[in-house]
Amino acid sequence: GLGLAMLANQKLPGISIFRTIFASTVATSVAVASMMWLTLLNPTTGLVTWILDQAGQPRLNLLNDPDWALPAVSLTTIWLNLGLATIVFLAGLQSIPERLYESARIDGASRLGTFLHVTLPMLSPTLLFVTVIGMILAFESFGQIHILTRGGPLDATNVIVYSIYTEAFQSFNYGVAAVQAVGLFVLVLGLTGLQLRFLE
């Protein structure tokens, strides 16, 4: 997200079109994104299969392989949240005063030095916000798992939110689901507290 925001922050003709493309995942629903990735990862007709065929590699059924299912779902989740991160980082970048960059250039700072000593420190509140929100959104992942894998194969993608759903609405173990929900709340609260304590 930060990399895309830095690209979108360039003063180039037509950059607003690229900003719209980068941020487009914000307007994409979980169901639509999941169906799109289900098509892309299809083991017979998907784009990933075609790329593997062109490279002379064996086909992979990512969503039905216990070793690859969670990374495949994670990729979908990252893609879904990329637009939000890009928009927030772009807003943070545009709030940094230009005079700081001018001072860095006058002092002879390299691009890397400017990024490390000007951009990152000025973006620290934005980084904190994106990190906390991204972590919470990751723990809330449900729709993409339900559509892509339904918690399988072999429970490889049965994350805590999906487990709460299956325990409560399929197995009707409401007590177990309630305990898991409280555990999820405590876990997210604890991790958020740690992030606020150490990243702020």
Side-chain angles (χ1 to χ4, degrees), residues 5-86:
M6 292 184 72
L7 286 173
N9 197 37
Q10 303 299 312
K11 295 177 175 62
L12 299 171
I15 196 67
S16 59
I17 297 169
F18 292 100
R19 288 176 184 166
T20 304
I21 293 169
F22 293 158
S24 62
T25 60
V26 173
T28 307
S29 72
V30 174
V32 170
S34 299
M35 291 306 297
M36 184 185 76
W37 280 96
L38 192 62
T39 304
L40 289 172
L41 298 173
N42 187 291
T44 54
T45 59
L47 179 63
V48 173
T49 301
W50 181 82
I51 292 170
L52 290 172
D53 286 345
Q54 297 302 310
Q57 299 298 317
R59 294 184 175 187
L60 294 174
N61 192 349
L62 298 176
L63 296 175
N64 287 321
D65 186 332
D67 295 328
W68 286 100
L70 190 59
V73 173
S74 299
L75 182 65
T76 306
T77 306
I78 290 168
W79 183 85
L80 267 169
N81 297 331
L82 192 60
L84 176 63
T86 303

Side-chain angles (χ1 to χ4, degrees), residues 56-131:
Q57 299 298 317
R59 294 184 175 187
L60 294 174
N61 192 349
L62 298 176
L63 296 175
N64 287 321
D65 186 332
D67 295 328
W68 286 100
L70 190 59
V73 173
S74 299
L75 182 65
T76 306
T77 306
I78 290 168
W79 183 85
L80 267 169
N81 297 331
L82 192 60
L84 176 63
T86 303
I87 290 171
V88 175
F89 277 129
L90 182 58
L93 287 169
Q94 292 181 343
S95 69
I96 300 174
E98 185 61 33
R99 66 178 184 276
L100 296 178
Y101 291 112
E102 291 174 4
S103 299
R105 282 193 293 269
I106 291 169
D107 288 341
S110 64
R111 287 192 175 198
L112 180 60
T114 302
F115 176 75
L116 292 176
H117 300 294
V118 177
T119 305
L120 275 185
M122 295 299 293
L123 273 182
S124 59
T126 309
L127 279 166
L128 175 65
F129 175 78
V130 171
T131 305

Side-chain angles (χ1 to χ4, degrees), residues 174-193:
Y174 299 114
V176 174
V179 171
Q180 288 180 340
V182 172
L184 175 62
F185 168 74
V186 171
L187 180 63
V188 171
L189 182 65
L191 288 174
T192 303

